[in-house]
Amino acid sequence: MRRRTVLATALLSAVVAPGMAQAATPGPSVTRTGTTTLDSQAIYFVSYDGLVNNNSFQKNGLLTYKGHQYAAWYTSTRNAVVARRKLGASTWSTVTLSHQLKSDDSHNVISLGVSKIDGRLHLTMDSHSDGYFYVKSVAGLMDDPATTAWTASVFGAIQTSLDGLALTSQFTYPQFVSTPEGKLQLSYRVGISGNGRNALAEYDGSSWKALGEWSSSTGTYTSSHGSSTARNMYLHGIDYDVNGRLHAFFTWREQNAAVMCSSGGITNHDTGYVYSTDRGRSWRNDAGALVATTGTSDTVAVTDAGLVVDPLNPDHSLMNQESQFTDSAGLPHAIISYVPGRFGQCTTDYVADRTANGRAFHVRKNSSGTWQKTEIPVPLNSSQRTKLVLDKYDNAYAVYPYGRIAGASKSSGYTDWTLLYDGSGLNAFGEVVIDEMRVKTDNTLSFMYQEKSSGTTPSALHVVDFTLPA
């Protein structure tokens, strides 16, 4: 039997000296400061319950670097576009790339990354368990945007490899992350849903190198209903903290539906956690035990001990690829969501059941090393994902589908979750894409969303900004 880390569920009491900490440290708040339009006619089609321009697992569809914000999307003509603006500006400058979206698949997202070591912008596009498309800018573009022309000429040719490095013919879920040294890493899945492995590649300013796979698809998982011998690890993210540690929360998705109580559910189970102290070359469980060496046969497997920080069987429609963030002390936080047992022990239609009864939960590791979990008392009202960010005071913000924002204070032990913004006036379809970098740059919560439409009628794509506590 697998050993599991037991998650402490007891609520914490805030210990505050009268008249001191609450006055000195503000709690969470948001003040909407403006909305800009990226495209009045962005491509619109619903696939896998999502939109190709606003799947929250994009890392990054929207990012800030050195005083400018960058966004990428597909237009109504299917062209890939990348845009930038100076922070605070009301208009965006756009560049239309030669690539066109090849199919109506919402997983074929665009992700952006910055290699700080040479100041290039990198994009991956249009891949779901097949080939991918890649382009990078000239060196220095990101370092000196004020004097560098924003034209198609600053981007190279569209490639189907990373400068000749092929990686895999079954490529999905690109996520870029910058290392503390300024190199750029690319996380991606090899294989397909229910039978895939996570892998890493790294760009050092001159060339890309494949670091290899680090999660396994093999081994036997057995629930109370049946067994499965193949799966994939879905990441909630991959992020470096202030100390240079690389964190990854995840869920497992089993290939065999026999592990579920009903075929209308979803085979995701358990929230797991691993970390790396050597830039993703090896991985450890929460207790510090080595569980994988990237690029070898020793990869993170469902049968490894000490991976699970919140156990949950496949009968509650646990969502994959939700959200994570690290705080100012380097401690990991995540948002997970599922249908709690008080609404029944078997979901039979994961979209309908999550929409009717789904709830989001804040999972975090506290300073004493204990895992804690708090239900956020705001119903999902959606089958889709919620995003997490922390402000400079380590207050937490959960950005729900439709652009709703809930917040909780660090001073309360994250027990005072409340709705701060109800999404009024946005008319957002569902999931939103968060600018993770801007929160740390100028204390602004900024996210990209697309207005609701119907069928394949194009709709407006926007970025909305909220000021956080000063």
Side-chain angles (χ1 to χ4, degrees):
M1 180 179 292
R2 294 179 300 158
R3 286 168 30 197
R4 290 182 171 182
T5 303
V6 178
L7 177 69
T9 57
L11 297 180
L12 295 180
S13 296
V15 180
V16 180
M20 288 181 58
Q22 286 184 332
T25 304
S29 66
V30 294
T31 303
R32 185 174 170 181
T33 56
T35 302
T36 56
T37 299
L38 292 167
D39 190 338
S40 61
Q41 294 285 295
I43 195 169
Y44 186 99
F45 58 85
V46 179
S47 155
Y48 298 98
D49 306 309
L51 303 180
V52 72
N53 287 329
N54 272 274
N55 259 312
S56 67
F57 53 74
Q58 291 173 251
K59 190 177 180 77
N60 299 278
L62 182 71
L63 65 82
T64 292
Y65 189 72
K66 292 193 174 182
H68 281 69
Q69 190 172 41
Y70 299 81
W73 69 93
Y74 298 103
T75 69
S76 60
T77 58
R78 311 184 75 84
N79 286 94
V81 169
V82 59
R84 75 176 182 187
R85 66 165 173 169
K86 189 174 181 179
L87 290 183
S90 59
T91 58
W92 295 75
S93 299
T94 61
V95 169
T96 301
L97 302 176
S98 60
H99 182 73
Q100 291 185 304
L101 179 67
K102 64 178 184 280
S103 63
D104 286 356
D105 184 334
S106 68
H107 287 63
N108 290 9
V109 299
I110 303 174
S111 293
L112 303 170
V114 180
S115 51
K116 298 178 181 179
I117 199 167
D118 63 356
R120 294 183 193 267
L121 181 64
H122 302 249
L123 294 83
T124 59
M125 304 172 282
D126 207 356
S127 57
H128 185 195
S129 302
D130 54 10
Y132 59 91
F133 298 87
Y134 166 74
V135 66
K136 68 181 182 184
S137 76
V138 296
L141 175 69
M142 308 298 283
D143 294 328
D144 194 13
T147 61
T148 306
W150 188 248
T151 64
S153 63
V154 302
F155 292 94
I158 306 295
Q159 306 177 49
T160 54
S161 68
L162 300 180
D163 295 335
L165 180 65
L167 296 182
T168 175
S169 61
Q170 292 183 312
F171 180 98
T172 316
Y173 304 128
Q175 297 190 67
F176 285 112
V177 60
S178 296
T179 71
E181 300 81 15
K183 296 179 181 179
L184 183 65
Q185 292 181 323
L186 176 62
S187 167
Y188 59 98
R189 186 186 72 190
V190 178
I192 62 174
S193 176
N195 191 8
R197 291 90 59 203
N198 289 328
L200 286 171
E202 185 175 85
Y203 176 77
D204 64 4
S206 60
S207 63
W208 282 95
K209 176 183 178 181
L211 301 184
E213 298 176 8
W214 62 272
S215 75
S216 171
S217 60
T218 60
T220 299
Y221 168 79
T222 302
S223 73
S224 60
H225 309 292
S227 297
S228 175
T229 57
R231 70 203 46 80
N232 69 275
M233 175 194 285
Y234 272 116
L235 296 178
H236 288 312
I238 185 165
D239 297 280
Y240 283 98
D241 68 20
V242 292
N243 304 310
R245 176 174 288 194
L246 186 60
H247 302 262
F249 285 90
F250 62 89
T251 62
W252 294 109
R253 174 174 292 179
E254 298 300 322
Q255 185 180 63
N256 191 352
V259 300
M260 296 187 295
C261 60
S262 169
S263 60
I266 191 168
T267 59
N268 297 336
H269 63 89
D270 296 323
T271 297
Y273 168 79
V274 290
Y275 70 89
S276 174
T277 57
D278 56 5
R279 309 301 187 253
R281 270 66 175 178
S282 64
W283 296 89
R284 297 182 180 274
N285 66 16
D286 182 49
L290 183 68
V291 289
T293 301
T294 302
T296 73
S297 59
D298 181 18
T299 52
V300 182
V302 73
T303 52
D304 285 340
L307 300 179
V308 177
V309 297
D310 186 39
L312 188 70
N313 67 37
D315 297 338
H316 295 274
S317 294
L318 176 68
M319 182 47 64
N320 50 280
Q321 298 166 288
E322 200 113 28
S323 188
Q324 67 174 48
F325 214 81
T326 60
D327 65 23
S328 61
L331 296 170
H333 298 239
I335 295 290
I336 65 173
S337 66
Y338 58 88
V339 178
R342 65 179 181 271
F343 297 108
Q345 297 299 324
C346 180
T347 55
T348 58
D349 182 325
Y350 85 89
V351 172
D353 290 340
R354 283 178 55 83
T355 302
N357 297 312
R359 297 294 188 271
F361 297 81
H362 177 211
V363 177
R364 70 184 182 96
K365 189 174 185 178
N366 67 22
S367 57
S368 65
T370 301
W371 288 96
Q372 295 180 307
K373 175 183 175 183
T374 304
E375 180 174 339
I376 304 175
V378 178
L380 290 182
N381 298 330
S382 169
S383 65
Q384 298 179 288
R385 301 171 180 87
T386 297
K387 299 296 291 181
L388 173 69
V389 296
L390 304 180
D391 67 19
K392 66 181 182 180
Y393 300 107
D394 286 334
N395 297 314
Y397 301 81
V399 187
Y400 273 62
Y402 316 120
R404 296 168 292 154
I405 305 171
S409 66
K410 178 184 178 181
S411 62
S412 73
Y414 303 101
T415 62
D416 59 353
W417 283 97
T418 188
L419 188 66
L420 302 175
Y421 177 70
D422 66 2
S424 295
L426 298 184
N427 192 33
F429 166 81
E431 290 182 4
V432 302
V433 174
I434 298 291
D435 188 335
E436 299 174 1
M437 299 180 185
R438 188 168 181 189
V439 175
K440 300 174 182 178
T441 298
D442 71 348
N443 215 40
T444 299
L445 171 58
S446 188
F447 62 80
M448 181 167 66
Y449 71 93
Q450 190 160 350
E451 292 187 22
K452 296 176 185 176
S453 186
S454 60
T456 57
T457 302
S459 68
L461 184 69
H462 305 285
V463 173
V464 61
D465 301 329
F466 297 85
T467 298
L468 301 178

